[in-house]
Amino acid sequence: MSKITRKIELIPDIENLTHEESNQRCYKVFYNIDNKLYKVANLLVCQLFGLDNLLSLMRLQNDEYVKCQSKLASKSISEETKRDIKKRMEAIDKELLARKDEIAPKHPQTFAYRAIKDSDYAKDLPSDIFNTLKQDVFKHFNETKKEQLRGERSLTTYKRGIPVPFNLMKKNVIVSDGDNYYLTWFEETRFRLNFGKDRSNNRDIIDNCLKTNKYKLCTAAKIQLKNKKLFLLVTVDIPETKNKIIKGKIMGVDLGVVHPAYVVVNDGPERSLIGDGDAFQKQRDVFRRRFRELQRCQLTQGGHGRKHKTKATENLRGKERNWVQTENHRISREIINLAIRWRVETIQMENLKGFGKDSDGEVETKHQRLLGRWSYFEFQKDIEYKAVMAGIKVVYVNPAYTSQTCHVCGKRGDRTERDTFICTNTGCDCYGKPQDADMNAAINIARSKDIIK
């Protein structure tokens, strides 16, 4: 099974009420929840962070423990003295842990939940929303804890407008009424699912969930407010398609700037260039020029406040984002269609995590322009979930020297130009012959055994 998330517009439509009355009631209920949700989320995060660091704070407040730490840092003390100091610190730790258990006897998540449950913000929230929010916040906090300790990210701050989470269960459920689908929600509100032009085929997906039962609708759902419109975010389990495959047949996918993607199989003549890199970059340049023009206008015009000035820029940013997503989906779909046609068992791609960043995690100057144009992470995720739906495995390999190694002899070559590779090994059949650099890299990726994940 593979999970996909669908985004569907919601239109307030309460039975026996006019459109204006339905809008007024539904938006009132939503805004009441929205005004409290982000505050509850921030309170939960603060509680978790405080409980996680409670022992450290207690150590800092204990004068004897601080003095022991200072003594240990001294280079003049003997090993025997160090052992005595460490024993004393362990004894103090036991005392502090006992006091900590008295202050917060429950598990940190349980303690945080109970501390917030009766707060002014949480007491009026529906229990379903509060419990679902709690699970989301706890999960995200635990997933990012190590990065916070390493200083790679700060503590999460939730802002107004976060999606409202809830469960599609007995009361909150999607039902069909003729050709229409309705979501019944809290406080007797109801929304009609508006599929619009339905380029994403959302109606068929919901039909397969509720009428034919081919797909499974997950209980976790969210409602998001965007541009004064409400959208339902639902997750759907789609069973894998059983395609005929050839055991051991691997497709290597090289993502590039000259060509968005070059695909090759590890053992066979199949290879293909996908997408037009020049057209892609030209369109991104058009967006960049327009951004600069709008920013210059913002500096010269006065009045009306920042929000009014930046509205045009934000609209253009949204258009660019939608265009990039569409291109990524289109190219990734072509790749998966080729993999199905070639009966590929596995797709291999480079693990590009950290690409273009220095040891401090900052983007290097020479890569800033490239990473500003290239949505490779999103592109790989699009390939990944489509491959899972087609029953094709996806693995990632070490990207080191894949574009600088000859696929024939395995020796390092010369890549003085971005789109050309030349083998410098005199004993190789390809010696001195210009090769397509992306094709060469794709073959190396397909044949690589250095799998990272």
Side-chain angles (χ1 to χ4, degrees):
M1 302 284 283
S2 70
K3 295 181 185 293
I4 61 171
T5 301
R6 299 287 89 185
K7 183 178 179 180
I8 305 168
E9 186 182 0
L10 295 176
I11 305 294
D13 190 345
I14 302 175
E15 199 171 3
N16 300 325
L17 290 184
T18 64
H19 179 66
E20 289 74 16
E21 291 171 336
S22 295
N23 269 346
Q24 187 176 5
R25 182 189 292 185
C26 290
Y27 275 95
K28 182 180 179 181
V29 171
F30 179 83
Y31 282 128
N32 284 338
I33 294 171
D34 183 57
N35 288 334
K36 298 171 183 174
L37 198 69
Y38 73 100
K39 299 174 184 176
V40 174
N42 285 321
L43 285 172
L44 286 169
V45 169
C46 292
Q47 288 282 345
L48 287 175
F49 184 78
L51 290 167
D52 259 16
N53 294 275
L54 182 58
L55 182 60
S56 299
L57 292 172
M58 293 173 73
R59 285 170 176 168
L60 289 173
Q61 290 181 339
N62 188 290
D63 293 336
E64 187 180 358
Y65 194 91
V66 173
K67 288 178 182 178
C68 288
Q69 282 184 320
S70 300
K71 289 177 182 178
L72 274 180
S74 176
K75 296 179 180 179
S76 59
I77 61 173
S78 63
E79 291 297 324
E80 186 178 352
T81 306
K82 281 185 179 180
R83 285 194 294 270
D84 292 340
I85 293 173
K86 287 179 180 178
K87 284 182 181 178
R88 181 55 191 152
M89 290 175 72
E90 288 174 3
I92 296 172
D93 260 346
K94 287 182 181 179
E95 294 174 10
L96 295 178
L97 279 169
R99 285 176 55 195
K100 177 179 175 291
D101 290 339
E102 290 177 5
I103 297 170
K106 302 293 183 181
H107 188 276
Q109 294 184 4
T110 306
F111 189 88
Y113 168 73
R114 293 183 178 179
I116 307 300
K117 186 178 180 181
D118 297 324
S119 68
D120 292 337
Y121 301 126
K123 64 183 180 182
D124 295 328
L125 272 181
S127 58
D128 179 30
I129 291 177
F130 180 55
N131 290 330
T132 311
L133 175 70
K134 174 202 70 174
Q135 292 170 6
D136 290 348
V137 170
F138 289 171
K139 181 181 177 183
H140 183 70
F141 179 82
N142 290 327
E143 287 175 349
T144 58
K145 190 186 297 184
K146 290 182 179 178
E147 294 177 0
Q148 291 171 16
L149 291 173
R150 291 196 297 264
E152 294 176 0
R153 67 181 302 156
S154 60
L155 190 67
T156 304
T157 302
Y158 293 89
K159 298 181 180 179
R160 186 193 299 273
I162 63 173
V164 178
F166 65 98
N167 285 317
L168 288 170
M169 297 179 72
K170 296 178 182 178
K171 189 173 182 181
N172 307 313
V173 64
I174 298 175
V175 295
S176 62
D177 184 4
D179 293 334
N180 292 324
Y181 287 99
Y182 295 92
L183 168 68
T184 57
W185 211 49
F186 300 97
E187 298 186 32
E188 306 301 324
T189 56
R190 191 179 77 157
F191 301 90
R192 175 171 54 83
L193 274 62
N194 179 29
F195 297 101
K197 295 181 180 178
D198 204 15
R199 291 174 180 149
S200 300
N201 209 28
N202 288 333
R203 180 179 284 277
D204 284 346
I205 290 173
I206 298 298
D207 282 341
N208 284 322
C209 289
L210 302 180
K211 292 182 178 180
T212 64
N213 294 322
K214 290 181 180 179
Y215 305 158
K216 182 182 177 183
L217 198 63
C218 297
T219 56
K222 294 180 180 180
I223 291 183
Q224 180 184 36
L225 179 68
K226 188 174 181 181
N227 298 328
K228 297 183 180 180
K229 293 181 180 180
L230 294 174
F231 294 91
L232 174 67
L233 307 177
V234 290
T235 306
V236 179
D237 271 336
I238 298 180
E240 295 179 2
T241 305
K242 299 297 180 181
N243 294 305
K244 293 181 179 180
I245 61 171
I246 297 174
K247 288 287 183 181
K249 195 167 189 178
I250 300 172
M251 172 190 278
V253 180
D254 177 64
L255 308 183
V257 181
V258 178
H259 309 305
Y262 204 110
V263 295
V264 174
V265 297
N266 60 331
D267 187 16
E270 297 96 335
R271 59 189 61 181
S272 179
L273 172 65
I274 298 177
D276 186 341
D278 289 337
F280 187 85
Q281 297 306 334
K282 284 178 182 176
Q283 185 59 46
R284 295 299 292 261
D285 286 337
V286 169
F287 282 116
R288 290 291 179 269
R289 285 197 297 272
R290 183 62 182 143
F291 275 129
R292 287 194 291 270
E293 291 171 6
L294 290 173
Q295 287 168 347
R296 282 196 293 269
C297 292
Q298 289 169 14
L299 293 173
T300 56
Q301 64 182 351
H304 301 296
R306 179 183 178 280
K307 188 174 181 180
H308 175 80
K309 291 180 181 180
T310 59
K311 185 176 179 181
T313 306
E314 293 302 317
N315 289 340
L316 184 62
R317 200 180 301 279
K319 289 180 180 179
E320 182 185 25
R321 182 92 285 279
N322 292 338
W323 178 80
V324 171
Q325 286 179 336
T326 302
E327 284 296 295
N328 284 340
H329 277 297
R330 183 183 64 79
I331 297 172
S332 62
R333 172 49 57 197
E334 287 187 43
I335 292 172
I336 299 304
N337 288 342
L338 282 176
I340 294 170
R341 190 191 311 163
W342 295 344
R343 300 167 67 182
V344 167
E345 180 187 21
T346 307
I347 292 176
Q348 291 191 172
M349 294 184 287
E350 293 174 304
N351 181 10
L352 297 172
K353 184 178 181 181
F355 171 77
K357 296 183 179 179
D358 57 23
S359 57
D360 296 327
E362 301 293 331
V363 178
E364 296 176 351
T365 305
K366 63 181 180 180
H367 290 120
Q368 283 179 349
R369 190 166 183 266
L370 170 62
L371 293 179
R373 298 166 164 220
W374 195 28
S375 306
Y376 69 86
F377 180 77
E378 180 185 271
F379 188 23
Q380 286 184 328
K381 288 302 174 185
D382 285 346
I383 294 172
E384 195 172 322
Y385 92 79
K386 289 181 175 73
V388 171
M389 290 173 61
I392 300 170
K393 291 192 299 182
V394 175
V395 298
Y396 291 87
V397 302
N398 190 345
Y401 308 113
T402 54
S403 61
Q404 301 171 26
T405 303
C406 178
H407 70 276
V408 177
C409 64
K411 303 292 183 182
R412 301 275 177 84
D414 184 11
R415 193 178 177 183
T416 53
E417 296 182 14
R418 191 170 63 176
D419 57 349
T420 305
F421 172 85
I422 298 175
C423 181
T424 56
N425 178 20
T426 54
C428 179
D429 294 339
C430 296
Y431 171 69
K433 298 177 182 177
Q435 303 177 52
D436 187 297
D438 291 335
M439 179 204 69
N440 179 68
I443 296 173
N444 287 328
I445 293 168
R447 294 176 180 174
S448 176
K449 304 296 182 185
D450 190 3
I451 296 172
I452 295 177
K453 64 173 182 175

